[in-house]
Amino acid sequence: MSDQEPRQTPDWVEDAKTEISAMAKEGMGHPSTKPVLIGTGIGALAGALIIGGPILGGLAGAGFALYQRIRK
């Protein structure tokens, strides 16, 4: 594949690393931090209400929110 062609498969792992690194450096000033924290809270609440537990739910919510931000 040449440098001119678009990626055939999205490299979401690199995008996630870049986004998480930027969120860690900028803290609450980064535009992705608040949506990911809100996703964590919603996931923890849902996890507390369902059998999975709040920790597992929080991780799932954070992961989903981060994926939504990267996909845009």
Side-chain angles (χ1 to χ4, degrees):
M1 182 160 93
S2 72
D3 292 334
Q4 298 291 333
E5 296 177 20
R7 293 185 289 191
Q8 295 298 319
T9 57
D11 191 8
W12 59 271
V13 174
E14 274 302 314
D15 293 341
K17 284 182 187 178
T18 303
E19 191 74 10
I20 291 169
S21 175
M23 286 171 46
K25 288 178 185 174
E26 296 179 33
M28 291 301 287
H30 192 275
S32 293
T33 302
K34 289 179 187 174
V36 170
L37 289 176
I38 290 170
T40 302
I42 292 171
L45 180 62
L49 297 175
I50 302 174
I51 298 172
I55 294 173
L56 184 60
L59 289 173
F64 181 73
L66 182 63
Y67 173 76
Q68 292 293 323
R69 293 292 296 185
I70 291 171
R71 195 176 72 168
K72 286 185 180 179

